[in-house]
Amino acid sequence: MGTTQLESVPEPKYWHLKTVLSEALDSEFSVGEILPNERDLAARFGVARATLRQALEQLELEGRLQRRRGVGTTVAPPRVGVAVGGSEQHDWPGATGDTWQPVDCTLEVPPAAVAAALETGADRPVHTLRRSRTSNGQPVAAELLYVAEASVPDLSAIDAPSGAARARAVLRELQRLELEGRENAVELGSARADDAKELDRLPGAPVLVVTTRYFAGGRVAAISVATYRADTCRLTFGDSGGVEIHQGPERKAS
Amino acid sequence: MGTTQLESVPEPKYWHLKTVLSEALDSEFSVGEILPNERDLAARFGVARATLRQALEQLELEGRLQRRRGVGTTVAPPRVGVAVGGSEQHDWPGATGDTWQPVDCTLEVPPAAVAAALETGADRPVHTLRRSRTSNGQPVAAELLYVAEASVPDLSAIDAPSGAARARAVLRELQRLELEGRENAVELGSARADDAKELDRLPGAPVLVVTTRYFAGGRVAAISVATYRADTCRLTFGDSGGVEIHQGPERKAS
DNA sequence: AAGTGGTCTAGACCACTCA
DNA sequence: GAGTGGTCTAGACCACTTA
């Protein structure tokens, strides 16, 4: 027939909008600069605010923008490379050079999946450490580290019932075991309320969840569940977080 | 004053909704089961459809749900563990046992960031391979593999100008180099139109982008940019993708 | 108090799948 | 063609930051 299908797959508005904004960010904005507010931007592009927000959400997901309630939308700096299983691949958490900051430590019954992997009983409490990690002064990750009681038997005599001091004591005891290996897994998740608070994000924000199993004595001696801000972090599994590589056009370094 | 702040931080509706749905998924649904449609669900919970969708979106992001236009919303199976830098840590792509399927190969000018890392000139074409990876019959990842021309000098005599045959030829030549090391980085992204098509998702779907640099001869000989479906994949950087570990309650295995 | 992004509504129409 | 999820609108109010 004579019907020429010129635009058989019309691009959604928010998708086109995202492309336009992305190019504008490359050419007309520099890092840290604040964008016009959402109502103005929507009007300028002739779309509803919800549609504009859909585009902004994607750009934020890709680490191009940073939005803060009550403040505004700013151009985000390039993602920081964060070493996760680097040269210290075969060290326990808390070894010298570890970039994590112990926050707290309690004895709690862990989630069922953790108990199963640790091969403790389903209702047995384990040492539950909270640690946090910062980069350039910004919080980038929050961790829950589960250590089986059997892994650090000589602990009880020493220490405080909880708090950072106790956390350090548990980590110190861990170093005495011979680490036979570790295994990382990365998946996408959304921040629980407590992690969100620590990461300075809203609950539900996208995060990269890194689960690490530490092997010693033929068993899983400890499990770490680390929650990284997906918008600001690039996780590196190698020697360095050096060179910047990503798809799409170069970003202005400002 | 006498004002007791009982609910100083009221939970957003979609957040509460997500929790409720999540628990319902755990207790009342099994993998593959289809949920009521969005209009019905919204009515049942007494919220607007947009609000319900916000909850569903998060659950899909967490890999709990799968939504397909024209079909419906179903309960997703647990994420599959996909080995990314496992025991074959020190093999080239295309080595025996590689799980990737070569699709195509052309000679193209790469994105600027890739050219910079490969230390080819900014306008020099490089071998650009497309590969895809499936797991249990489902596509899980699409890859662009950039190989500097200098890395495979003996190629020209042999082969086809493009296509899977040429891709295999390039990979064959790569094996002859001594691989000195490789380095992975993982970050969150959204699927470009071409990747989305290959992954059977809509453009903009959340993906985990794994960038790998291959070192040989003191240089970066090749760069791989692999795009994994974030909803269905858990990337493992260790020996196996065995045990299932995640936060929150257990899922019914159906 | 003013201005920002975050949540929510009640509609409409479109693109897609499948019987 | 009926039913699904995907896009879009034009409003409203809320929570938060900053001055």
Side-chain angles (χ1 to χ4, degrees):
Chain A
M1 319 305 169
T3 58
T4 33
Q5 274 189 294
L6 270 182
E7 277 300 339
S8 70
V9 182
E11 216 170 34
K13 276 191 190 177
Y14 80 90
W15 184 260
H16 180 242
L17 205 49
K18 181 193 137 184
T19 309
V20 171
L21 284 169
S22 181
E23 284 163 3
L25 289 182
D26 288 325
S27 59
E28 297 167 33
F29 289 86
S30 44
V31 170
E33 201 166 333
I34 68 175
L35 270 61
N37 70 54
E38 296 183 349
R39 291 162 179 86
D40 284 356
L41 274 180
R44 184 175 313 188
F45 287 105
V47 300
R49 190 174 155 224
T51 304
L52 174 83
R53 277 179 62 81
Q54 217 173 336
L56 294 185
E57 261 151 38
Q58 284 228 355
L59 289 170
E60 192 180 26
L61 196 82
E62 294 173 22
R64 308 285 314 265
L65 292 179
Q66 196 155 3
R67 300 147 90 199
R68 272 175 306 169
R69 168 153 47 177
V71 180
T73 302
T74 59
V75 180
R79 285 189 173 135
V80 290
V82 186
V84 171
S87 45
E88 80 284 8
Q89 171 77 39
H90 291 98
D91 272 355
W92 286 105
T96 52
D98 192 326
T99 51
W100 290 90
Q101 203 69 29
V103 172
D104 193 15
C105 176
T106 56
L107 202 57
E108 286 176 35
V109 176
V114 171
L118 285 177
E119 290 171 10
T120 62
D123 297 324
R124 290 288 300 263
V126 302
H127 300 292
T128 305
L129 309 227
R130 277 208 157 271
R131 299 197 300 168
S132 69
R133 187 172 176 176
T134 59
S135 176
N136 307 322
Q138 298 291 86
V140 293
E143 182 200 44
L144 277 175
L145 177 63
Y146 303 97
V147 181
E149 279 197 279
S151 300
V152 287
D154 301 339
L155 191 69
S156 49
I158 320 171
D159 46 12
S162 70
R166 180 188 171 89
R168 278 188 289 270
V170 171
L171 291 173
R172 205 182 317 121
E173 286 300 306
L174 259 188
Q175 314 302 319
R176 298 167 54 168
L177 286 175
E178 190 193 353
L179 179 59
E180 291 160 358
R182 55 186 247 186
E183 218 176 79
N184 292 307
V186 182
E187 61 187 314
L188 180 58
S190 47
R192 299 194 320 269
D194 53 347
D195 291 328
K197 196 167 187 180
E198 196 161 353
L199 297 176
D200 193 24
R201 299 257 57 196
L202 290 178
V207 291
L208 297 171
V209 180
V210 180
T211 308
T212 307
R213 293 188 290 168
Y214 294 88
F215 296 97
R219 294 173 50 259
V220 178
I223 289 183
S224 149
V225 179
T227 300
Y228 290 81
R229 282 184 61 151
D231 55 345
T232 59
C233 293
R234 192 179 77 250
L235 308 183
T236 65
F237 293 78
D239 300 286
S240 74
V243 179
E244 161 109 340
I245 300 168
H246 59 81
Q247 300 180 329
E250 298 262 51
R251 289 178 216 164
K252 259 169 74 174
S254 175
Chain B
M1 317 302 171
T3 58
T4 34
Q5 276 189 292
L6 270 181
E7 277 299 339
S8 70
V9 181
E11 215 170 34
K13 277 191 191 177
Y14 78 91
W15 184 259
H16 180 241
L17 205 48
K18 181 193 137 182
T19 310
V20 171
L21 284 169
S22 181
E23 286 164 0
L25 290 181
D26 287 326
S27 58
E28 297 167 33
F29 288 86
S30 44
V31 170
E33 201 168 341
I34 68 176
L35 269 61
N37 72 54
E38 296 183 350
R39 290 160 179 89
D40 284 355
L41 273 181
R44 184 174 313 187
F45 287 105
V47 299
R49 191 176 153 218
T51 304
L52 173 83
R53 278 179 61 82
Q54 217 173 336
L56 293 186
E57 260 151 38
Q58 283 228 357
L59 289 171
E60 191 180 27
L61 196 82
E62 295 174 21
R64 307 286 314 267
L65 292 179
Q66 195 155 6
R67 299 146 92 200
R68 273 175 304 168
R69 168 153 48 177
V71 179
T73 302
T74 58
V75 180
R79 283 185 174 141
V80 290
V82 187
V84 170
S87 47
E88 79 285 5
Q89 172 75 39
H90 291 96
D91 272 354
W92 286 105
T96 51
D98 192 326
T99 52
W100 290 89
Q101 204 68 29
V103 172
D104 193 15
C105 177
T106 56
L107 202 58
E108 287 175 34
V109 176
V114 170
L118 285 176
E119 290 171 11
T120 61
D123 297 325
R124 289 289 300 263
V126 303
H127 300 292
T128 305
L129 309 225
R130 276 208 158 273
R131 299 196 301 167
S132 69
R133 186 174 176 177
T134 58
S135 176
N136 306 323
Q138 299 290 87
V140 293
E143 183 199 43
L144 278 174
L145 177 63
Y146 303 97
V147 181
E149 280 198 279
S151 300
V152 286
D154 301 340
L155 191 69
S156 48
I158 320 171
D159 46 11
S162 70
R166 180 188 171 91
R168 277 187 290 269
V170 172
L171 292 174
R172 206 182 316 123
E173 286 300 306
L174 261 188
Q175 314 302 319
R176 297 168 53 167
L177 286 175
E178 191 192 356
L179 179 59
E180 290 160 359
R182 55 185 248 185
E183 217 176 81
N184 293 306
V186 182
E187 62 188 312
L188 181 59
S190 47
R192 299 193 319 269
D194 52 348
D195 290 327
K197 195 168 187 180
E198 197 160 355
L199 297 176
D200 193 24
R201 299 258 57 195
L202 290 178
V207 290
L208 297 171
V209 181
V210 180
T211 308
T212 307
R213 294 188 290 168
Y214 295 88
F215 297 96
R219 294 172 51 258
V220 177
I223 288 184
S224 148
V225 179
T227 300
Y228 290 80
R229 284 184 60 152
D231 55 345
T232 58
C233 293
R234 190 178 78 250
L235 308 183
T236 66
F237 293 79
D239 301 287
S240 75
V243 179
E244 161 107 339
I245 301 168
H246 59 84
Q247 299 179 330
E250 299 262 51
R251 289 180 217 163
K252 259 168 76 175
S254 171

